[in-house]
Amino acid sequence: MSPKLFQAPRGTNDILPEKQGYWRFFEATARDIAARFGYERIDTPTFEDASLFVRSVGEVTDIVEKETYTFEDRGGNLLTLRPEGTPPVGRAYLQHGMHNQPQPVRLYYLGDFFRYDRPQAGRYRQFHQFGVEVIGEAAASVDSEVIEFALLLLESLGVSEVTLLLNSIGDSHCRPAYIDRLQAYYGSRSDELVHDDCRRRLETNPLRLLDCKTDVCQPLIAAAPGSVDNLCDSCAQHWDALLGDLGALGRSYEIDKRLVRGMDYYSRTVFEIVPPDEGQQSTLGGGGRYDGLIELLGGRPTPGIGFAMGMERVMAAIQESGTPIAEDVGTKVVVAHLGDESRSAGMLLASELRRGGVAVVPAPAGRSLKSQLRYASSIRATHAVIIGDRELEKGTVVLRDLAGSEQREVGRDELRALLEGH
Ligand code: AMP
């Protein structure tokens, strides 16, 4: 009996060669937009001390309660595969003294993240995010900047049919009173809270009642008091300034009171970007202010804002939008040979050409010339270089242009000049 074939673990994806073009396009575009906005790249480790996420993402959130991959390593350290990017970036900001640099610090990252979610279309256990963080500036002008960044990036990727959903959840001055109002409202209708999770949230995390996705909760949410109607003066000014900026930038938005964050260190702006056929798993990206996070991680009180985009979801949207992805059109040569002696001459020629910057792939050994040329077409080579006994003797090769199917005999120097100058 043959052994069972392995499958990739549930909720993970192989990114096959034919899809790599989309990923390269995303990365190149993201790098370009980041440069235009003056953001610098940061890479943080794939795993961190488990307590970083417990402290920052919070024990009573779904992410830390049910979704982290946490394990003890052989030295007894409790580690967590990063479920999101902001706490590691905040940690790095403090660890490397970025708070001593001129503020704000503008950073972006791109990498894989891990959540033990129930896998379905657009929801994976290992997924990729592109994200930005602006740390050290409280003004609403950076809120509009990161939103503009996210929208311009999507536009540049050919994904422009999106809706910007926006909310402000106030700050530590006005939120407690708002939460009291929300609790009083839900308390008076608690018999309509049919889910255990929602009843529990009424006590532990009332804001999260507003982002319940179940149908029964929707009428309750629709009639609930909204946070933007309960802001203190300074939060209201911040909110007005943000809406003013977005108006000036010509960006439309929908105010959505269901957009909340459960943790105290989040404040003011919260936003999401959704495609037009909004489904639960379709949010392309989201972000918001986290003015209390850096202090929670042991730093001085420092404001911050960021967003993260799900790369798999954006990639699916790019494919749907039909954005043409440029193929690699560089010269690619297959060296075909007839006989053993010419094989070793071919190997040396390949090595020489590679040093000159040309992409060279050897044809499969021990096959007919026809089969070697078929292989060259299958890997989308632009040229074949054919060496047989006759060419070996004369010190020449046959250069075949695979697009035009023309071929001619050329000397080695001419060959290099032709291919390297391409
Ligand atoms: P969040 O950090 O939860 O705000 O997520 C930011 C973005 O990452 C979401 O809008 C999604 O596009 C993407 N995302 C979050 N969780 C997953 C997941 N499990 N699988 C794929 N994409 C995800």
Side-chain angles (χ1 to χ4, degrees):
M1 208 177 73
S2 53
K4 185 172 158 276
L5 290 180
F6 287 109
Q7 303 278 318
R10 209 162 115 75
T12 66
N13 294 297
D14 295 311
I15 306 172
L16 297 175
E18 57 264 31
K19 287 282 188 292
Q20 294 288 339
Y22 288 98
W23 289 79
R24 273 201 303 272
F25 174 55
F26 187 112
E27 288 180 22
T29 309
R31 259 202 309 274
D32 173 41
I33 301 294
R36 286 194 228 171
F37 279 83
Y39 287 55
E40 291 188 295
R41 177 154 176 163
I42 184 166
D43 292 300
T44 62
T46 304
F47 52 81
E48 297 270 354
D49 270 349
S51 51
L52 172 69
F53 298 108
V54 174
R55 183 140 27 122
S56 56
V57 184
E59 265 169 293
V60 293
T61 57
D62 282 353
I63 292 185
V64 165
E65 264 183 354
K66 313 178 201 151
E67 295 178 3
T68 48
Y69 280 89
T70 296
F71 59 97
E72 204 179 285
D73 72 6
R74 287 168 207 274
N77 307 298
L78 200 59
L79 300 171
T80 293
L81 297 184
R82 54 184 181 181
E84 59 171 276
T86 307
V89 171
R91 193 244 335 119
Y93 171 87
L94 290 170
Q95 182 179 336
H96 302 288
M98 286 186 239
H99 52 292
N100 296 321
Q101 296 171 8
Q103 304 292 296
V105 172
R106 292 177 162 88
L107 301 168
Y108 78 94
Y109 61 84
L110 193 150
D112 44 3
F113 293 84
F114 305 84
R115 293 184 195 170
Y116 189 78
D117 254 337
R118 199 157 51 87
Q120 48 199 295
R123 186 163 291 277
Y124 310 107
R125 289 181 174 171
Q126 181 187 16
F127 58 99
H128 295 74
Q129 284 187 339
F130 170 82
V132 311
E133 315 289 353
V134 181
I135 306 181
E137 174 62 71
S141 53
V142 292
D143 301 44
S144 55
E145 176 184 300
V146 298
I147 291 173
E148 177 70 357
F149 186 134
L151 293 171
L152 186 65
L153 173 57
L154 287 171
E155 249 167 57
S156 308
L157 293 167
V159 183
S160 36
E161 298 259 310
V162 295
T163 305
L164 168 64
L165 304 175
L166 206 58
N167 196 16
S168 171
I169 54 169
D171 65 5
S172 53
H173 299 110
C174 49
R175 198 159 358 146
Y178 168 62
I179 289 178
D180 285 348
R181 280 196 66 183
L182 196 63
Q183 237 163 352
Y185 163 81
Y186 270 103
S188 71
R189 299 180 68 165
S190 59
D191 50 327
E192 294 170 64
L193 286 177
V194 294
H195 291 289
D196 287 346
D197 268 356
C198 290
R199 278 202 222 100
R200 199 159 48 95
R201 281 180 186 144
L202 182 55
E203 301 310 321
T204 59
N205 205 341
L207 271 185
R208 293 288 313 281
L209 285 164
L210 295 172
D211 74 356
C212 180
K213 304 290 188 292
T214 58
D215 288 344
V216 276
C217 275
Q218 298 314 306
L220 269 172
I221 294 169
S227 49
V228 286
D229 303 318
N230 290 277
L231 299 176
C232 58
D233 285 350
S234 64
C235 286
Q237 269 169 23
H238 194 272
W239 175 241
D240 289 343
L242 171 60
L243 299 191
D245 276 2
L246 291 174
L249 289 165
R251 296 295 187 185
S252 53
Y253 52 83
E254 283 175 21
I255 297 170
D256 187 344
K257 67 175 155 196
R258 293 171 304 169
L259 286 188
V260 292
R261 295 279 190 268
M263 301 308 300
D264 281 348
Y265 67 84
Y266 284 115
S267 54
R268 297 184 170 170
T269 311
V270 188
F271 67 96
E272 269 186 13
I273 299 174
V274 295
D277 54 342
E278 185 191 347
Q280 246 192 49
Q281 306 312 335
S282 62
T283 303
L284 297 173
R289 272 208 164 270
Y290 45 84
D291 288 349
L293 176 66
I294 298 296
E295 193 177 2
L296 196 73
L297 297 180
R300 288 192 301 266
T302 308
I305 179 164
F307 76 75
M309 232 174 234
M311 289 176 64
E312 282 79 1
R313 293 191 197 172
V314 174
M315 225 68 79
I318 296 173
Q319 271 169 277
E320 252 166 59
S321 73
T323 309
I325 305 293
E327 283 257 346
D328 268 345
V329 285
T331 306
K332 183 159 147 189
V333 180
V334 161
V335 178
H337 56 87
L338 302 162
D340 260 356
E341 259 180 74
S342 49
R343 190 199 69 80
S344 100
M347 187 179 72
L348 292 180
L349 179 63
S351 165
E352 243 175 67
L353 287 171
R354 287 188 190 118
R355 277 171 221 264
V358 183
V360 189
V361 182
R367 303 233 192 121
S368 68
L369 179 62
K370 198 168 155 198
S371 161
Q372 294 184 58
L373 292 178
R374 208 177 306 127
Y375 177 77
S377 307
S378 79
I379 63 165
R380 292 190 296 279
T382 53
H383 298 80
V385 169
I386 306 161
I387 314 178
D389 290 342
R390 204 174 64 90
E391 288 79 24
L392 208 55
E393 242 168 59
K394 289 167 65 185
T396 61
V397 299
V398 172
L399 175 65
R400 187 178 171 99
D401 177 344
L402 291 169
S405 296
E406 295 146 12
Q407 64 179 48
R408 66 192 172 101
E409 198 172 333
V410 294
R412 296 288 175 96
D413 290 344
E414 193 187 347
L415 176 77
R416 289 183 52 180
L418 280 169
L419 293 177
E420 290 171 19
H422 240 276

